[in-house]
Amino acid sequence: MRLPEAFSFSSPLKINCGSRALENLPTELAAFNANAPLILANRDQVGKKRVNTLIDAFKTSGLTLGIYDRLPDQPQPDLMPVLARIYRDGGCDSVVVLGHGSVVDTAKCLNLMVSAGFQGRLDGAGRDVTDPGPLRPLMLVATAGGNGDEVTGFADDGVRRLCSPRLIPTVAFIDPSMMKDHDDRDVVDGALIALVHAVEAFLDDTAGPMCRAYAHTAISLIVKHLPAVLRKTDRKKSLCAAVNGQVAAGCAFFSSTPGLCHLLATRLKEGTDLPLGFLMAILLPHMVAEVGVNQPERVGELMYPMVGADIFAVTAADLKTPRTIALFWEFFDALNAELSVQIPSAIGDTDLTGEQIERAQSRLASDPSDDLVARILEGARRGVSAIDN
């Protein structure tokens, strides 16, 4: 394992996972002398039953609860002062958020507002680069359908993309009782985003060994358990495992540099209704193949979390890279066997036009890796046949 000359890794997140994980919520809050949490949720997203289950976790705690379970599907800047007023008027001292996606973004932004305000300096990407100092406890009750971004220091307030390690939740709770039976496409979309983030973090030479350890865990959990989720094999348990993988992927993603699959898919998404994770999946095998040309050993190491130590050990060194790429195709085929909306094997199978693809490529034209971008896109246009050749 190569050790970079310099790297930085921080994962302050604590994880409580299991069938009684929610029972630890009052104890975790008490560790920070917090006794009046504000619970945030989108009832339409998670269902009234799960909101009530979360409230029941505090039944014998003696804590005073504030509850707002009507959060919108997208961040709304005008709502933030309202939530801050509810927080302050209710004498709240912490935040508990149930859900994923923009609901968690709203909770992060609210915690920043009530703890430190929004005053700060932005970098060229519009991210806040001023350290706001310690924030109040933020407890995340995770649900299926996320993509790992929930446990990062990123947050979208509806106007800008905030970035600070302080925004990372204090504790994440992964409890089977919170694993609502979400739409399969949404679950797969989030898991694929997390998987690609983990693979790119694993291949990032500057990220360091701790980041790779989180990425290794994420890849293993998602690849092993996501097909079982779709086959409805002990679904809640499988969902918990996949969500654990997404959490690990989020920790790795925040400590690494966003890779080309992430950047390209984000730009391509502007021209299609296809889920972002599906776009990332189209690009992933071709990105891995290109990296494997110059770093076959590094790509070959990706096989380990996908198949385990025994098979990895008996596979010849020169076969590990092509076998790793084949495993990704096999994984996507296994998902497609259960999905009504398929993961396309090539960009040509999507509704993206050649002009839209070229525009996405041109937006990265000033990047030193532009030739690599062109090769990945050309491979993605041709699909699996490009790698066979």
Side-chain angles (χ1 to χ4, degrees):
M1 180 181 292
R2 282 174 282 184
L3 187 70
E5 290 186 7
F7 68 91
S8 176
F9 180 81
S10 175
S11 181
L13 178 74
K14 179 178 181 180
I15 299 171
N16 271 317
C17 178
S19 60
R20 305 173 74 89
L22 288 183
E23 293 181 4
N24 295 305
L25 254 169
T27 302
E28 295 290 355
L29 287 167
F32 295 91
N33 295 318
N35 52 30
L38 173 62
I39 296 176
L40 298 177
N42 178 335
R43 185 186 297 184
D44 294 333
Q45 180 190 81
V46 299
K48 183 177 179 180
K49 176 182 177 181
R50 281 158 187 82
V51 175
N52 290 337
T53 300
L54 174 56
I55 294 171
D56 287 345
F58 294 94
K59 187 175 294 184
T60 61
S61 68
L63 273 62
T64 301
L65 306 181
I67 303 169
Y68 189 93
D69 62 358
R70 297 294 184 180
L71 289 183
D73 292 332
Q74 298 296 327
Q76 293 185 3
D78 293 344
L79 180 61
M80 298 307 301
V82 176
L83 294 175
R85 192 179 313 117
I86 293 172
Y87 183 98
R88 294 183 176 118
D89 291 349
C92 297
D93 55 16
S94 53
V95 177
V96 176
V97 58
L98 168 63
H100 58 268
S102 64
V103 171
V104 181
D105 282 347
T106 298
K108 291 177 182 178
C109 293
L110 174 64
N111 198 34
L112 180 62
M113 175 179 279
V114 298
S115 301
F118 268 119
Q119 301 303 316
R121 181 168 55 87
L122 303 181
D123 65 12
R127 298 178 301 185
D128 195 320
V129 294
T130 301
D131 183 0
L135 305 185
R136 295 174 185 178
L138 171 60
M139 306 292 169
L140 167 65
V141 180
T143 59
N147 59 33
D149 199 54
E150 293 81 7
V151 300
T152 69
F154 296 121
D156 182 357
D157 67 357
V159 177
R160 58 185 180 178
R161 178 80 160 168
L162 302 174
C163 176
S164 170
R166 303 287 191 180
L167 294 173
I168 297 173
T170 312
V171 184
F173 298 84
I174 305 173
D175 192 306
S177 65
M178 294 293 107
M179 296 298 121
K180 182 184 177 183
D181 206 10
H182 285 275
D183 179 80
D184 284 348
R185 192 181 81 153
D186 292 340
V187 171
V188 171
D189 179 36
L192 289 175
I193 292 172
L195 175 65
V196 172
H197 285 168
V199 170
E200 295 196 307
F202 190 93
L203 296 174
D204 185 352
D205 284 330
T206 66
M210 274 62 78
C211 180
R212 289 192 70 202
Y214 274 79
H216 182 289
T217 299
I219 296 165
S220 179
L221 287 171
I222 293 171
V223 168
K224 178 179 179 180
H225 293 282
L226 187 58
V229 170
L230 300 183
R231 292 193 297 266
K232 310 298 190 289
T233 305
D234 201 354
R235 187 172 170 91
K236 285 189 176 181
K237 184 176 180 180
S238 298
L239 276 171
C240 276
V243 170
N244 269 282
Q246 290 163 200
V247 167
C251 294
F253 177 63
F254 191 64
S255 295
S256 61
T257 303
L260 286 178
C261 282
H262 171 88
L263 296 173
L264 271 173
T266 301
R267 285 158 176 73
L268 290 170
K269 182 69 180 78
E270 298 171 4
T272 178
D273 292 330
L274 192 70
L276 179 62
F278 287 37
L279 283 171
M280 289 184 173
I282 296 172
L283 298 168
L284 180 63
H286 305 283
M287 182 276 292
V288 171
E290 289 295 334
V291 175
V293 172
N294 296 317
Q295 301 183 63
E297 290 184 6
R298 171 60 64 89
V299 171
E301 290 171 355
L302 273 171
M303 185 180 171
Y304 189 168
M306 299 181 76
V307 299
D310 292 342
I311 296 177
F312 179 81
V314 299
T315 303
D318 61 336
L319 296 179
K320 285 177 179 174
T321 291
R323 183 62 187 134
T324 297
I325 297 169
L327 284 167
F328 282 118
W329 289 114
E330 292 170 12
F331 174 65
F332 299 147
D333 285 344
L335 299 182
N336 279 338
E338 307 294 336
L339 287 170
S340 57
V341 178
Q342 305 282 287
I343 303 168
S345 61
I347 291 182
D349 298 332
T350 72
D351 57 350
L352 285 164
T353 65
E355 181 182 352
Q356 289 170 328
I357 297 170
E358 290 172 5
R359 189 183 306 124
Q361 180 180 343
S362 67
R363 292 180 64 179
L364 290 173
S366 60
D367 192 282
S369 60
D370 185 51
D371 288 343
L372 177 59
V373 172
R375 293 197 300 273
I376 292 172
L377 281 173
E378 178 58 27
R381 287 175 190 264
R382 296 161 58 196
V384 67
S385 62
I387 293 179
D388 288 342
N389 292 333

